[in-house]
């Protein structure tokens, strides 16, 4: 059976640490660390069967 090389760009969800800062109504500054998610493009290639 023949096989084909398949290449395309996929979207991958990645989490990165981020520091969040904001001021409250009373004027206090609050900061904490959190995980920020965003989409990242990634090239994908593999060998697939011919249908």
């Amino acid at each position: 059976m023949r096989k084909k090389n398949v290449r395309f760009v996929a979207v991958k969800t990645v989490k990165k640490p981020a520091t969040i800062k904001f001021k409250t109504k009373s004027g206090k500054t609050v900061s904490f660390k959190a995980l920020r998610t965003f989409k990242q493009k990634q090239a994908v290639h593999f060998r697939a069967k011919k249908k």
Side-chain angles (χ1 to χ4, degrees):
M1 212 178 265
R2 291 184 184 176
K3 294 189 178 190
K4 294 278 184 178
N5 289 328
V6 180
R7 284 178 178 258
F8 60 93
V9 177
V11 178
K12 181 181 179 184
T13 305
V14 180
K15 290 183 182 180
K16 272 192 174 180
T19 304
I20 298 162
K21 280 186 176 182
F22 61 91
K23 285 190 176 182
T24 60
K25 287 183 181 179
S26 61
K28 270 190 168 180
T29 303
V30 179
S31 67
F32 58 91
K33 291 187 178 183
L35 289 175
R36 180 176 160 234
T37 59
F38 63 97
K39 306 282 184 180
Q40 184 179 22
K41 290 183 180 179
Q42 188 173 14
V44 178
H45 59 278
F46 58 91
R47 290 179 65 80
K49 291 181 183 177
K50 189 178 178 184
K51 289 187 176 182

